[in-house]
Amino acid sequence: MKKILLMLFIAGIGMSARAQFEGSKQIFESPKLNVEKPNHKLVAILPFNTKISYKKMPKNFNAEANKDQEKTMSKSIQSSMYTFLLRKASNYTVEFQDPDKTNILLKKAGVQDKLDELTKDEVAKILGVDAVLGGNFETEQSKSEAGAIASAVLFGGFGGKTGTGTLTLTLNSGASGDLLWRFFKTMNDNITTSTDDLVEHMMRKVSRNFPYSKS
């Protein structure tokens, strides 16, 4: 009897750990997606809107340094997304614009830091693409050290929870600016990882539902 209770207890811990690791996810797909998708040839990946906050403000917290970290992470996630999609290019029906070109075109147009003032179709016109892929990443760190996210973006679990986060991925039409697809995921992971690992983990979860997957 004791052995059975122990096994049930261990199984319960395992299920709880998996639930914590996976978090929750939501996927939205517009009826317009399948109508527009065949006409999409080139898609741009925008810098991600990134926000880093703390449950307990770190000692010697520097707001400007935190903003710089957010900007660095924003482009790092953008670059990691492109690297992942380029590595698996044969799996997709479209090509993805090099983010270096994307960012240069945005800078030349004077809108690199004003994307929230433009509609997605206006952005697509500047970039010369059929659709734009973008998103938001927000993390709230429970560690007090500001350096906790200097080279990492994720969280905790068995070893003591160090933070939580949400990641949203969106696809908008370049012609109308309409939202065609949205993926939302909460993250409570017992890992500390690079943005490459963050994107890899997210895309594994979204791969079957990614709009441009051939399968």
Side-chain angles (χ1 to χ4, degrees), residues 29-43 93-94 130-131 171 173 180-181 208-215:
E29 185 174 303
S30 168
K32 297 179 182 179
L33 176 62
N34 289 330
V35 176
E36 290 201 27
K37 190 167 61 172
N39 299 319
H40 293 181
K41 305 299 179 186
L42 183 63
V43 177
T93 59
V94 297
D130 304 306
L171 178 72
S173 165
L180 299 177
W181 177 86
R208 293 181 181 179
N209 303 99
F210 191 62
Y212 300 118
S213 295
K214 290 182 179 178
S215 55

PDB file of all heavy atoms in Angstrom, residues 29-43 93-94 130-131 171 173 180-181 208-215:
ATOM      1  N   GLU A  29      -6.677  31.577 -35.465  1.00  0.00           N
ATOM      2  CA  GLU A  29      -6.474  31.549 -36.909  1.00  0.00           C
ATOM      3  C   GLU A  29      -7.665  32.212 -37.589  1.00  0.00           C
ATOM      4  O   GLU A  29      -8.799  31.779 -37.418  1.00  0.00           O
ATOM      5  CB  GLU A  29      -6.313  30.113 -37.395  1.00  0.00           C
ATOM      6  CG  GLU A  29      -5.970  30.001 -38.872  1.00  0.00           C
ATOM      7  CD  GLU A  29      -5.677  28.569 -39.300  1.00  0.00           C
ATOM      8  OE1 GLU A  29      -4.766  27.964 -38.709  1.00  0.00           O
ATOM      9  OE2 GLU A  29      -6.377  28.065 -40.203  1.00  0.00           O
ATOM     10  N   SER A  30      -7.404  33.263 -38.351  1.00  0.00           N
ATOM     11  CA  SER A  30      -8.464  33.989 -39.031  1.00  0.00           C
ATOM     12  C   SER A  30      -8.954  33.208 -40.259  1.00  0.00           C
ATOM     13  O   SER A  30      -8.161  32.529 -40.926  1.00  0.00           O
ATOM     14  CB  SER A  30      -7.945  35.358 -39.484  1.00  0.00           C
ATOM     15  OG  SER A  30      -8.857  35.968 -40.383  1.00  0.00           O
ATOM     16  N   PRO A  31     -10.236  33.298 -40.577  1.00  0.00           N
ATOM     17  CA  PRO A  31     -10.756  32.677 -41.808  1.00  0.00           C
ATOM     18  C   PRO A  31     -10.065  33.213 -43.062  1.00  0.00           C
ATOM     19  O   PRO A  31     -10.049  32.554 -44.099  1.00  0.00           O
ATOM     20  CB  PRO A  31     -12.245  33.057 -41.782  1.00  0.00           C
ATOM     21  CG  PRO A  31     -12.554  33.327 -40.348  1.00  0.00           C
ATOM     22  CD  PRO A  31     -11.307  33.942 -39.789  1.00  0.00           C
ATOM     23  N   LYS A  32      -9.490  34.412 -42.939  1.00  0.00           N
ATOM     24  CA  LYS A  32      -8.813  35.022 -44.091  1.00  0.00           C
ATOM     25  C   LYS A  32      -7.453  34.385 -44.382  1.00  0.00           C
ATOM     26  O   LYS A  32      -6.909  34.575 -45.473  1.00  0.00           O
ATOM     27  CB  LYS A  32      -8.607  36.525 -43.838  1.00  0.00           C
ATOM     28  CG  LYS A  32      -9.893  37.317 -43.686  1.00  0.00           C
ATOM     29  CD  LYS A  32      -9.585  38.776 -43.414  1.00  0.00           C
ATOM     30  CE  LYS A  32     -10.853  39.592 -43.204  1.00  0.00           C
ATOM     31  NZ  LYS A  32     -10.547  41.019 -42.911  1.00  0.00           N
ATOM     32  N   LEU A  33      -6.920  33.655 -43.416  1.00  0.00           N
ATOM     33  CA  LEU A  33      -5.568  33.111 -43.566  1.00  0.00           C
ATOM     34  C   LEU A  33      -5.437  32.230 -44.798  1.00  0.00           C
ATOM     35  O   LEU A  33      -4.534  32.420 -45.619  1.00  0.00           O
ATOM     36  CB  LEU A  33      -5.171  32.324 -42.322  1.00  0.00           C
ATOM     37  CG  LEU A  33      -3.804  31.620 -42.379  1.00  0.00           C
ATOM     38  CD1 LEU A  33      -2.681  32.646 -42.543  1.00  0.00           C
ATOM     39  CD2 LEU A  33      -3.575  30.785 -41.128  1.00  0.00           C
ATOM     40  N   ASN A  34      -6.310  31.262 -44.945  1.00  0.00           N
ATOM     41  CA  ASN A  34      -6.218  30.323 -46.073  1.00  0.00           C
ATOM     42  C   ASN A  34      -6.503  30.982 -47.416  1.00  0.00           C
ATOM     43  O   ASN A  34      -6.105  30.465 -48.459  1.00  0.00           O
ATOM     44  CB  ASN A  34      -7.163  29.143 -45.850  1.00  0.00           C
ATOM     45  CG  ASN A  34      -6.695  28.229 -44.738  1.00  0.00           C
ATOM     46  OD1 ASN A  34      -5.489  28.097 -44.500  1.00  0.00           O
ATOM     47  ND2 ASN A  34      -7.627  27.606 -44.033  1.00  0.00           N
ATOM     48  N   VAL A  35      -7.191  32.133 -47.388  1.00  0.00           N
ATOM     49  CA  VAL A  35      -7.457  32.873 -48.620  1.00  0.00           C
ATOM     50  C   VAL A  35      -6.215  33.622 -49.065  1.00  0.00           C
ATOM     51  O   VAL A  35      -5.863  33.649 -50.254  1.00  0.00           O
ATOM     52  CB  VAL A  35      -8.628  33.864 -48.422  1.00  0.00           C
ATOM     53  CG1 VAL A  35      -8.836  34.702 -49.679  1.00  0.00           C
ATOM     54  CG2 VAL A  35      -9.907  33.120 -48.056  1.00  0.00           C
ATOM     55  N   GLU A  36      -5.525  34.226 -48.098  1.00  0.00           N
ATOM     56  CA  GLU A  36      -4.357  35.051 -48.419  1.00  0.00           C
ATOM     57  C   GLU A  36      -3.055  34.266 -48.544  1.00  0.00           C
ATOM     58  O   GLU A  36      -2.170  34.628 -49.318  1.00  0.00           O
ATOM     59  CB  GLU A  36      -4.187  36.140 -47.356  1.00  0.00           C
ATOM     60  CG  GLU A  36      -5.252  37.209 -47.388  1.00  0.00           C
ATOM     61  CD  GLU A  36      -4.793  38.482 -46.705  1.00  0.00           C
ATOM     62  OE1 GLU A  36      -3.574  38.731 -46.670  1.00  0.00           O
ATOM     63  OE2 GLU A  36      -5.650  39.230 -46.212  1.00  0.00           O
ATOM     64  N   LYS A  37      -2.943  33.202 -47.771  1.00  0.00           N
ATOM     65  CA  LYS A  37      -1.673  32.469 -47.673  1.00  0.00           C
ATOM     66  C   LYS A  37      -1.068  32.053 -49.021  1.00  0.00           C
ATOM     67  O   LYS A  37       0.158  32.170 -49.196  1.00  0.00           O
ATOM     68  CB  LYS A  37      -1.859  31.255 -46.761  1.00  0.00           C
ATOM     69  CG  LYS A  37      -0.571  30.567 -46.387  1.00  0.00           C
ATOM     70  CD  LYS A  37      -0.787  29.590 -45.234  1.00  0.00           C
ATOM     71  CE  LYS A  37      -1.767  28.503 -45.587  1.00  0.00           C
ATOM     72  NZ  LYS A  37      -1.839  27.450 -44.535  1.00  0.00           N
ATOM     73  N   PRO A  38      -1.849  31.581 -49.992  1.00  0.00           N
ATOM     74  CA  PRO A  38      -1.249  31.174 -51.278  1.00  0.00           C
ATOM     75  C   PRO A  38      -0.536  32.310 -52.012  1.00  0.00           C
ATOM     76  O   PRO A  38       0.321  32.063 -52.871  1.00  0.00           O
ATOM     77  CB  PRO A  38      -2.451  30.670 -52.082  1.00  0.00           C
ATOM     78  CG  PRO A  38      -3.451  30.252 -51.049  1.00  0.00           C
ATOM     79  CD  PRO A  38      -3.286  31.247 -49.948  1.00  0.00           C
ATOM     80  N   ASN A  39      -0.884  33.556 -51.679  1.00  0.00           N
ATOM     81  CA  ASN A  39      -0.270  34.706 -52.350  1.00  0.00           C
ATOM     82  C   ASN A  39       0.972  35.217 -51.636  1.00  0.00           C
ATOM     83  O   ASN A  39       1.644  36.132 -52.121  1.00  0.00           O
ATOM     84  CB  ASN A  39      -1.292  35.853 -52.461  1.00  0.00           C
ATOM     85  CG  ASN A  39      -2.513  35.461 -53.274  1.00  0.00           C
ATOM     86  OD1 ASN A  39      -2.395  34.795 -54.294  1.00  0.00           O
ATOM     87  ND2 ASN A  39      -3.690  35.873 -52.813  1.00  0.00           N
ATOM     88  N   HIS A  40       1.286  34.636 -50.489  1.00  0.00           N
ATOM     89  CA  HIS A  40       2.449  35.090 -49.723  1.00  0.00           C
ATOM     90  C   HIS A  40       3.725  34.404 -50.217  1.00  0.00           C
ATOM     91  O   HIS A  40       3.788  33.171 -50.277  1.00  0.00           O
ATOM     92  CB  HIS A  40       2.254  34.793 -48.235  1.00  0.00           C
ATOM     93  CG  HIS A  40       1.165  35.589 -47.598  1.00  0.00           C
ATOM     94  ND1 HIS A  40       0.830  35.487 -46.264  1.00  0.00           N
ATOM     95  CD2 HIS A  40       0.319  36.537 -48.124  1.00  0.00           C
ATOM     96  CE1 HIS A  40      -0.167  36.313 -45.998  1.00  0.00           C
ATOM     97  NE2 HIS A  40      -0.496  36.951 -47.112  1.00  0.00           N
ATOM     98  N   LYS A  41       4.700  35.216 -50.554  1.00  0.00           N
ATOM     99  CA  LYS A  41       5.996  34.698 -51.016  1.00  0.00           C
ATOM    100  C   LYS A  41       7.135  35.096 -50.075  1.00  0.00           C
ATOM    101  O   LYS A  41       8.052  34.315 -49.834  1.00  0.00           O
ATOM    102  CB  LYS A  41       6.301  35.212 -52.436  1.00  0.00           C
ATOM    103  CG  LYS A  41       5.221  34.905 -53.466  1.00  0.00           C
ATOM    104  CD  LYS A  41       5.007  33.406 -53.633  1.00  0.00           C
ATOM    105  CE  LYS A  41       3.905  33.140 -54.660  1.00  0.00           C
ATOM    106  NZ  LYS A  41       3.583  31.683 -54.738  1.00  0.00           N
ATOM    107  N   LEU A  42       7.075  36.335 -49.560  1.00  0.00           N
ATOM    108  CA  LEU A  42       8.139  36.851 -48.706  1.00  0.00           C
ATOM    109  C   LEU A  42       7.536  37.437 -47.426  1.00  0.00           C
ATOM    110  O   LEU A  42       6.606  38.243 -47.475  1.00  0.00           O
ATOM    111  CB  LEU A  42       8.935  37.931 -49.443  1.00  0.00           C
ATOM    112  CG  LEU A  42      10.141  38.523 -48.706  1.00  0.00           C
ATOM    113  CD1 LEU A  42      11.203  37.453 -48.446  1.00  0.00           C
ATOM    114  CD2 LEU A  42      10.740  39.686 -49.511  1.00  0.00           C
ATOM    115  N   VAL A  43       8.084  37.014 -46.292  1.00  0.00           N
ATOM    116  CA  VAL A  43       7.576  37.444 -44.986  1.00  0.00           C
ATOM    117  C   VAL A  43       8.718  38.066 -44.183  1.00  0.00           C
ATOM    118  O   VAL A  43       9.827  37.532 -44.149  1.00  0.00           O
ATOM    119  CB  VAL A  43       6.976  36.251 -44.199  1.00  0.00           C
ATOM    120  CG1 VAL A  43       6.507  36.687 -42.813  1.00  0.00           C
ATOM    121  CG2 VAL A  43       5.818  35.629 -44.991  1.00  0.00           C
ATOM    122  N   THR A  93       6.450  27.239 -46.962  1.00  0.00           N
ATOM    123  CA  THR A  93       6.000  27.615 -48.306  1.00  0.00           C
ATOM    124  C   THR A  93       6.416  29.030 -48.691  1.00  0.00           C
ATOM    125  O   THR A  93       6.139  29.459 -49.811  1.00  0.00           O
ATOM    126  CB  THR A  93       4.469  27.511 -48.383  1.00  0.00           C
ATOM    127  OG1 THR A  93       3.887  28.383 -47.389  1.00  0.00           O
ATOM    128  CG2 THR A  93       3.999  26.088 -48.120  1.00  0.00           C
ATOM    129  N   VAL A  94       7.061  29.745 -47.783  1.00  0.00           N
ATOM    130  CA  VAL A  94       7.481  31.126 -48.055  1.00  0.00           C
ATOM    131  C   VAL A  94       8.954  31.305 -47.714  1.00  0.00           C
ATOM    132  O   VAL A  94       9.569  30.434 -47.083  1.00  0.00           O
ATOM    133  CB  VAL A  94       6.654  32.139 -47.223  1.00  0.00           C
ATOM    134  CG1 VAL A  94       5.190  32.078 -47.591  1.00  0.00           C
ATOM    135  CG2 VAL A  94       6.862  31.913 -45.725  1.00  0.00           C
ATOM    136  N   ASP A 130       4.983  40.447 -48.166  1.00  0.00           N
ATOM    137  CA  ASP A 130       3.564  40.069 -48.265  1.00  0.00           C
ATOM    138  C   ASP A 130       2.893  39.928 -46.903  1.00  0.00           C
ATOM    139  O   ASP A 130       1.655  39.954 -46.813  1.00  0.00           O
ATOM    140  CB  ASP A 130       3.432  38.745 -49.025  1.00  0.00           C
ATOM    141  CG  ASP A 130       4.074  38.817 -50.396  1.00  0.00           C
ATOM    142  OD1 ASP A 130       3.713  39.732 -51.161  1.00  0.00           O
ATOM    143  OD2 ASP A 130       4.943  37.969 -50.699  1.00  0.00           O
ATOM    144  N   ALA A 131       3.693  39.765 -45.859  1.00  0.00           N
ATOM    145  CA  ALA A 131       3.152  39.624 -44.505  1.00  0.00           C
ATOM    146  C   ALA A 131       4.256  39.930 -43.501  1.00  0.00           C
ATOM    147  O   ALA A 131       5.447  39.887 -43.844  1.00  0.00           O
ATOM    148  CB  ALA A 131       2.604  38.216 -44.286  1.00  0.00           C
ATOM    149  N   LEU A 171       0.941  37.067 -36.896  1.00  0.00           N
ATOM    150  CA  LEU A 171       1.155  37.184 -38.334  1.00  0.00           C
ATOM    151  C   LEU A 171       0.075  38.111 -38.883  1.00  0.00           C
ATOM    152  O   LEU A 171      -1.122  37.870 -38.684  1.00  0.00           O
ATOM    153  CB  LEU A 171       1.056  35.820 -39.016  1.00  0.00           C
ATOM    154  CG  LEU A 171       1.209  35.837 -40.547  1.00  0.00           C
ATOM    155  CD1 LEU A 171       2.661  36.124 -40.927  1.00  0.00           C
ATOM    156  CD2 LEU A 171       0.757  34.517 -41.157  1.00  0.00           C
ATOM    157  N   SER A 173      -1.394  40.428 -42.290  1.00  0.00           N
ATOM    158  CA  SER A 173      -1.424  40.580 -43.737  1.00  0.00           C
ATOM    159  C   SER A 173      -0.691  41.838 -44.166  1.00  0.00           C
ATOM    160  O   SER A 173      -0.848  42.901 -43.569  1.00  0.00           O
ATOM    161  CB  SER A 173      -2.883  40.649 -44.210  1.00  0.00           C
ATOM    162  OG  SER A 173      -2.968  41.125 -45.538  1.00  0.00           O
ATOM    163  N   LEU A 180      -3.893  37.667 -39.062  1.00  0.00           N
ATOM    164  CA  LEU A 180      -4.250  36.401 -39.697  1.00  0.00           C
ATOM    165  C   LEU A 180      -4.069  35.214 -38.762  1.00  0.00           C
ATOM    166  O   LEU A 180      -4.777  34.205 -38.883  1.00  0.00           O
ATOM    167  CB  LEU A 180      -3.393  36.185 -40.950  1.00  0.00           C
ATOM    168  CG  LEU A 180      -3.536  37.233 -42.055  1.00  0.00           C
ATOM    169  CD1 LEU A 180      -2.570  36.906 -43.204  1.00  0.00           C
ATOM    170  CD2 LEU A 180      -4.976  37.304 -42.571  1.00  0.00           C
ATOM    171  N   TRP A 181      -3.103  35.358 -37.829  1.00  0.00           N
ATOM    172  CA  TRP A 181      -2.769  34.217 -36.965  1.00  0.00           C
ATOM    173  C   TRP A 181      -2.085  34.731 -35.713  1.00  0.00           C
ATOM    174  O   TRP A 181      -1.359  35.722 -35.755  1.00  0.00           O
ATOM    175  CB  TRP A 181      -1.866  33.261 -37.733  1.00  0.00           C
ATOM    176  CG  TRP A 181      -1.359  32.070 -36.983  1.00  0.00           C
ATOM    177  CD1 TRP A 181      -1.996  30.864 -36.837  1.00  0.00           C
ATOM    178  CD2 TRP A 181      -0.092  31.944 -36.322  1.00  0.00           C
ATOM    179  NE1 TRP A 181      -1.195  30.009 -36.104  1.00  0.00           N
ATOM    180  CE2 TRP A 181      -0.027  30.645 -35.782  1.00  0.00           C
ATOM    181  CE3 TRP A 181       0.985  32.809 -36.133  1.00  0.00           C
ATOM    182  CZ2 TRP A 181       1.076  30.193 -35.066  1.00  0.00           C
ATOM    183  CZ3 TRP A 181       2.072  32.369 -35.414  1.00  0.00           C
ATOM    184  CH2 TRP A 181       2.111  31.066 -34.894  1.00  0.00           C
ATOM    185  N   ARG A 208       3.170  22.459 -35.626  1.00  0.00           N
ATOM    186  CA  ARG A 208       2.029  21.846 -36.319  1.00  0.00           C
ATOM    187  C   ARG A 208       0.984  22.871 -36.731  1.00  0.00           C
ATOM    188  O   ARG A 208       0.173  22.609 -37.601  1.00  0.00           O
ATOM    189  CB  ARG A 208       1.380  20.800 -35.423  1.00  0.00           C
ATOM    190  CG  ARG A 208       2.258  19.580 -35.162  1.00  0.00           C
ATOM    191  CD  ARG A 208       1.540  18.579 -34.300  1.00  0.00           C
ATOM    192  NE  ARG A 208       2.353  17.413 -34.003  1.00  0.00           N
ATOM    193  CZ  ARG A 208       1.970  16.388 -33.248  1.00  0.00           C
ATOM    194  NH1 ARG A 208       0.759  16.400 -32.706  1.00  0.00           N
ATOM    195  NH2 ARG A 208       2.778  15.376 -33.033  1.00  0.00           N
ATOM    196  N   ASN A 209       1.005  24.020 -36.095  1.00  0.00           N
ATOM    197  CA  ASN A 209       0.006  25.049 -36.370  1.00  0.00           C
ATOM    198  C   ASN A 209       0.591  26.281 -37.045  1.00  0.00           C
ATOM    199  O   ASN A 209      -0.119  27.252 -37.293  1.00  0.00           O
ATOM    200  CB  ASN A 209      -0.667  25.487 -35.058  1.00  0.00           C
ATOM    201  CG  ASN A 209      -1.307  24.331 -34.303  1.00  0.00           C
ATOM    202  OD1 ASN A 209      -0.725  23.804 -33.373  1.00  0.00           O
ATOM    203  ND2 ASN A 209      -2.484  23.931 -34.721  1.00  0.00           N
ATOM    204  N   PHE A 210       1.895  26.248 -37.343  1.00  0.00           N
ATOM    205  CA  PHE A 210       2.528  27.402 -37.981  1.00  0.00           C
ATOM    206  C   PHE A 210       1.943  27.573 -39.387  1.00  0.00           C
ATOM    207  O   PHE A 210       1.884  26.614 -40.159  1.00  0.00           O
ATOM    208  CB  PHE A 210       4.044  27.207 -38.051  1.00  0.00           C
ATOM    209  CG  PHE A 210       4.783  28.449 -38.450  1.00  0.00           C
ATOM    210  CD1 PHE A 210       4.725  29.584 -37.659  1.00  0.00           C
ATOM    211  CD2 PHE A 210       5.550  28.481 -39.606  1.00  0.00           C
ATOM    212  CE1 PHE A 210       5.414  30.733 -38.015  1.00  0.00           C
ATOM    213  CE2 PHE A 210       6.240  29.625 -39.973  1.00  0.00           C
ATOM    214  CZ  PHE A 210       6.178  30.762 -39.176  1.00  0.00           C
ATOM    215  N   PRO A 211       1.476  28.769 -39.740  1.00  0.00           N
ATOM    216  CA  PRO A 211       0.737  28.980 -40.989  1.00  0.00           C
ATOM    217  C   PRO A 211       1.424  28.517 -42.271  1.00  0.00           C
ATOM    218  O   PRO A 211       0.775  28.067 -43.201  1.00  0.00           O
ATOM    219  CB  PRO A 211       0.538  30.510 -41.025  1.00  0.00           C
ATOM    220  CG  PRO A 211       0.602  30.915 -39.606  1.00  0.00           C
ATOM    221  CD  PRO A 211       1.597  30.005 -38.961  1.00  0.00           C
ATOM    222  N   TYR A 212       2.759  28.602 -42.308  1.00  0.00           N
ATOM    223  CA  TYR A 212       3.463  28.312 -43.553  1.00  0.00           C
ATOM    224  C   TYR A 212       4.103  26.921 -43.585  1.00  0.00           C
ATOM    225  O   TYR A 212       4.888  26.626 -44.498  1.00  0.00           O
ATOM    226  CB  TYR A 212       4.526  29.374 -43.798  1.00  0.00           C
ATOM    227  CG  TYR A 212       3.939  30.764 -43.922  1.00  0.00           C
ATOM    228  CD1 TYR A 212       4.282  31.765 -43.010  1.00  0.00           C
ATOM    229  CD2 TYR A 212       3.024  31.077 -44.927  1.00  0.00           C
ATOM    230  CE1 TYR A 212       3.733  33.045 -43.105  1.00  0.00           C
ATOM    231  CE2 TYR A 212       2.469  32.344 -45.037  1.00  0.00           C
ATOM    232  CZ  TYR A 212       2.828  33.328 -44.113  1.00  0.00           C
ATOM    233  OH  TYR A 212       2.273  34.581 -44.224  1.00  0.00           O
ATOM    234  N   SER A 213       3.775  26.075 -42.642  1.00  0.00           N
ATOM    235  CA  SER A 213       4.310  24.709 -42.652  1.00  0.00           C
ATOM    236  C   SER A 213       3.700  23.931 -43.817  1.00  0.00           C
ATOM    237  O   SER A 213       2.503  24.009 -44.065  1.00  0.00           O
ATOM    238  CB  SER A 213       3.982  23.996 -41.330  1.00  0.00           C
ATOM    239  OG  SER A 213       4.643  24.618 -40.261  1.00  0.00           O
ATOM    240  N   LYS A 214       4.531  23.185 -44.525  1.00  0.00           N
ATOM    241  CA  LYS A 214       4.056  22.391 -45.658  1.00  0.00           C
ATOM    242  C   LYS A 214       3.191  21.220 -45.220  1.00  0.00           C
ATOM    243  O   LYS A 214       2.274  20.823 -45.920  1.00  0.00           O
ATOM    244  CB  LYS A 214       5.241  21.897 -46.483  1.00  0.00           C
ATOM    245  CG  LYS A 214       5.968  22.991 -47.252  1.00  0.00           C
ATOM    246  CD  LYS A 214       7.097  22.425 -48.076  1.00  0.00           C
ATOM    247  CE  LYS A 214       7.806  23.511 -48.865  1.00  0.00           C
ATOM    248  NZ  LYS A 214       8.962  22.982 -49.660  1.00  0.00           N
ATOM    249  N   SER A 215       3.528  20.653 -44.075  1.00  0.00           N
ATOM    250  CA  SER A 215       2.773  19.477 -43.625  1.00  0.00           C
ATOM    251  C   SER A 215       1.526  19.879 -42.869  1.00  0.00           C
ATOM    252  O   SER A 215       1.411  20.975 -42.367  1.00  0.00           O
ATOM    253  CB  SER A 215       3.669  18.631 -42.713  1.00  0.00           C
ATOM    254  OG  SER A 215       4.164  19.403 -41.642  1.00  0.00           O
TER     255      SER A 215
END
